[in-house]
Amino acid sequence: MSVQSRPETAAVTHAEARFPRDFVWGMATASYQIEGAVAEDGRTDSIWDTFSRVPGAILGGDTGEVACDHYHRMPADVGLLADLGATSYRFSVAWPRVRPDAGPVNAAGLAFYDRLVDELLSRGIAPWLTLYHWDLPQVLEDAGGWTNRDTAHRFVDYATAVYDVLGDRVPTWTTLNEPFCSSLLGYAAGHHAPGRQEGAAGLVAAHHLLLAHGLATEALRARGDDVRFGLSLNLTVPDPSDPTDPVDVDAARRIDALHNRLFLDPVFRGAYPADLLEDTADLQWQGRPWHDVVRDGDLATISTPIDVLGVNYYHGNEVSGHPRTDVVGIGADHPDRVALSPFVGSEHVTFPSRGLPVTDMGWEIQPDGLHRLLRRLHDDYPHLPIYLTETGAAFADSPGDDGEVHDPDRIAFLDAYLRAVHRAVEEGVDVRGFFQWSFCDNFEWAFGYAKRFGLVYVDYETQQRIPKSSAHWYAALSRTGTLPAVDGSAH
Ligand code: FCB
């Protein structure tokens, strides 16, 4: 366990917190992280298959080749989801199964998701589908990937193929998961696939991802709009180290621009933030300012109305504009491979530790940031139904002598984050559901299998699933819709 002390809220007293009756209790996964079966039924390589083969790119040389073998164990996994009280399941579709090599539609690949959706519905679980959780067909990367505008159009071809088969049974469709990661971590930092470290390419990729979101939303809505459309953004809460120091205040503004408003503003306001354009004005793409890739009409497409906003939140950060050595992990650190800063044009910014307890990812446990983020979205952006589409924590879990996996730190984490959500709901923020990341331990991208986020423990040797104590806790929560009172004096 990497935490030195229990999460800060465990020692205080809390009243019972009752959630609205129809609040969604979900669990989330993503295709490459759990499916395995990477060469079956016509699937071809994605950028994550390729990146996994780059020496040093993934901790321990891990790959998603087998992962949780979910492709073969799907019905049993759905049974477990039902037993654990999930009322909705957020999964993603692998583009290279549906259109291998971005070519013609592959019925065998689509059939897997067809079976998954039917299985979920038969167990009373609402499917929540993400079209892009980062597994871009490698052939498209070979043609430039998300720096190539054409990729956005290929995404529409893929999205419509999925929609034509599943649109009648899946009520909620999100186009992108965390475009911050698939653009800036993949094309500027090089921490994620495709591992490019090309600065401005991160911003160009962000624009084409947003364009893909807008084009696909318009195209799918035109085919039938009795479903809800949206996307999931991973947002942060940047607090200046010293709020009276203009250098720190400026650093926090820059991180807010690159992490939050780069995505929120085009989608909800039809414009890139002026300060971000200024901060990145010197960044050139193919000999011209990066922003020249934005064509007339793009922002109108990107800001096409959506119905739900998915928010992924793990932690915020203290932010400084000064060199600091007492820094915390922000997710892009990797022991075997040097990643660059994803914050292009603001590489000088540092993230000092606040001394808060951290998870096994080195991420600070900071539930009050979630409350402030939800309030901020409510205050600054149109009032859409919000769903927490990801929150969770990695801890170094393992079965005890009794064969059970006891994870009180994860329970304390979820309790604290859910109380932050509850507080926002009480204050009038329209949060309608919570998807725990993740249903089961899985392939945690550049960290391979070393980080365990699951409610369900996976023994990767045997593929045995063991629900952790947090899974039983979450099942009870989903049944009662109520966080029990906590008497801090008992701790
Ligand atoms: C998010 C990703 C998800 C998972 C969690 C821990 O950034 O969307 O796939 O890796 O972090």
Side-chain angles (χ1 to χ4, degrees):
M1 203 72 58
S2 68
V3 280
Q4 302 304 308
S5 56
R6 299 292 298 274
E8 80 257 45
T9 49
V12 295
T13 300
H14 288 293
E16 176 182 277
R18 185 177 295 275
F19 283 81
R21 184 182 293 278
D22 51 1
F23 197 79
V24 169
W25 298 103
M27 297 181 199
T29 63
S31 46
Y32 191 70
Q33 295 182 274
I34 63 165
E35 286 178 358
V38 293
E40 266 176 67
D41 295 331
R43 183 188 182 280
T44 53
D45 276 358
S46 73
I47 53 176
W48 275 95
D49 297 88
T50 310
F51 191 58
S52 298
R53 295 194 283 262
V54 174
I58 312 293
L59 208 59
D62 292 343
T63 76
E65 224 168 292
V66 177
C68 308
D69 196 33
H70 171 73
Y71 194 75
H72 299 119
R73 294 164 192 266
M74 180 273 286
D77 283 343
V78 172
L80 195 48
L81 278 164
D83 293 346
L84 296 176
T87 59
S88 186
Y89 175 55
R90 173 177 180 255
F91 63 95
S92 76
V93 174
W95 186 343
R97 283 196 200 285
V98 173
R99 284 182 174 266
D101 290 339
V105 176
N106 172 34
L110 257 174
F112 171 72
Y113 300 103
D114 199 46
R115 292 195 301 276
L116 168 62
V117 166
D118 282 346
E119 197 72 38
L120 290 167
L121 293 173
S122 78
R123 304 300 301 249
I125 300 170
W128 178 296
L129 188 150
T130 299
L131 283 161
Y132 187 69
H133 202 128
W134 309 350
D135 31 14
L136 181 72
Q138 179 61 38
V139 288
L140 291 183
E141 178 54 34
D142 295 341
W146 287 109
T147 63
N148 180 350
R149 185 181 174 92
D150 185 57
T151 299
H153 295 285
R154 302 285 71 79
F155 179 73
V156 178
D157 297 343
Y158 151 65
T160 48
V162 181
Y163 193 75
D164 285 346
V165 171
L166 302 179
D168 59 337
R169 281 160 293 152
V170 174
T172 314
W173 292 68
T174 48
T175 51
L176 308 176
N177 175 69
E178 303 191 355
F180 170 82
C181 298
S182 38
S183 59
L184 290 164
L185 287 186
Y187 288 82
H191 170 69
H192 275 182
R196 286 164 61 176
Q197 299 186 317
E198 299 171 34
L203 295 168
V204 173
H207 178 66
H208 292 147
L209 277 154
L210 287 167
L211 183 63
H213 156 77
L215 289 169
T217 304
E218 287 179 344
L220 301 192
R221 212 189 274 287
R223 287 167 114 83
D225 98 321
D226 47 355
V227 303
R228 301 184 302 176
F229 296 104
L231 81 174
S232 285
L233 301 176
N234 56 319
L235 302 171
T236 192
V237 178
D239 293 323
S241 281
D242 175 355
T244 65
D245 176 349
V247 175
D248 288 347
V249 171
D250 181 68
R253 176 196 60 72
R254 285 166 174 268
I255 297 308
D256 185 48
L258 282 161
H259 211 303
N260 298 331
R261 290 181 285 114
L262 168 60
F263 303 97
L264 287 166
D265 284 20
V267 168
F268 291 116
R269 297 181 176 161
Y272 284 107
D275 59 331
L276 177 132
L277 295 178
E278 216 171 287
D279 296 340
T280 60
D282 291 343
L283 289 170
Q284 299 269 313
W285 175 246
Q286 297 179 335
R288 302 165 64 102
W290 78 268
H291 191 252
D292 281 8
V293 301
V294 181
R295 296 195 190 159
D296 284 353
D298 283 3
L299 284 154
T301 301
I302 292 169
S303 58
T304 189
I306 55 174
D307 310 302
V308 292
L309 174 63
V311 173
N312 296 1
Y313 178 85
Y314 291 87
H315 62 97
N317 273 103
E318 182 174 310
V319 178
S320 174
H322 300 286
R324 297 276 294 253
T325 49
D326 55 331
V327 294
V328 291
I330 56 162
D333 336 85
H334 193 291
D336 294 345
R337 185 182 149 91
V338 178
L340 304 182
S341 168
F343 300 109
V344 291
S346 297
E347 289 84 355
H348 66 287
V349 171
T350 53
F351 300 92
S353 166
R354 290 180 274 213
L356 294 173
V358 296
T359 67
D360 202 28
M361 294 296 282
W363 296 347
E364 290 185 337
I365 299 174
Q366 194 225 4
D368 81 286
L370 176 54
H371 172 254
R372 287 191 282 136
L373 171 64
L374 293 170
R375 287 300 303 255
R376 187 256 179 115
L377 290 170
H378 185 77
D379 291 344
D380 291 0
Y381 292 95
H383 292 175
L384 282 188
I386 293 174
Y387 290 80
L388 258 293
T389 40
E390 280 184 32
T391 257
F395 291 112
D397 308 307
S398 59
D401 293 341
D402 57 359
E404 303 288 324
V405 180
H406 300 281
D407 59 343
D409 291 301
R410 183 171 291 98
I411 294 175
F413 179 99
L414 290 172
D415 182 88
Y417 277 55
L418 275 159
R419 284 183 198 277
V421 173
H422 185 261
R423 191 173 155 206
V425 172
E426 296 275 283
E427 291 167 358
V429 185
D430 188 8
V431 186
R432 300 203 187 167
F434 186 91
F435 290 81
Q436 195 277 340
W437 184 271
S438 177
F439 162 57
C440 59
D441 294 337
N442 57 46
F443 176 81
E444 177 47 36
W445 307 114
F447 296 92
Y449 298 100
K451 306 293 179 190
R452 293 183 176 273
F453 273 93
L455 289 177
V456 173
Y457 180 86
V458 176
D459 177 334
Y460 293 110
E461 295 296 313
T462 62
Q463 292 295 346
Q464 190 196 355
R465 273 70 162 142
I466 306 174
K468 303 176 190 176
S469 36
S470 58
H472 300 299
W473 176 88
Y474 197 71
L477 178 58
S478 143
R479 215 170 35 243
T480 60
T482 304
L483 286 169
V486 174
D487 178 4
S489 59
H491 288 266

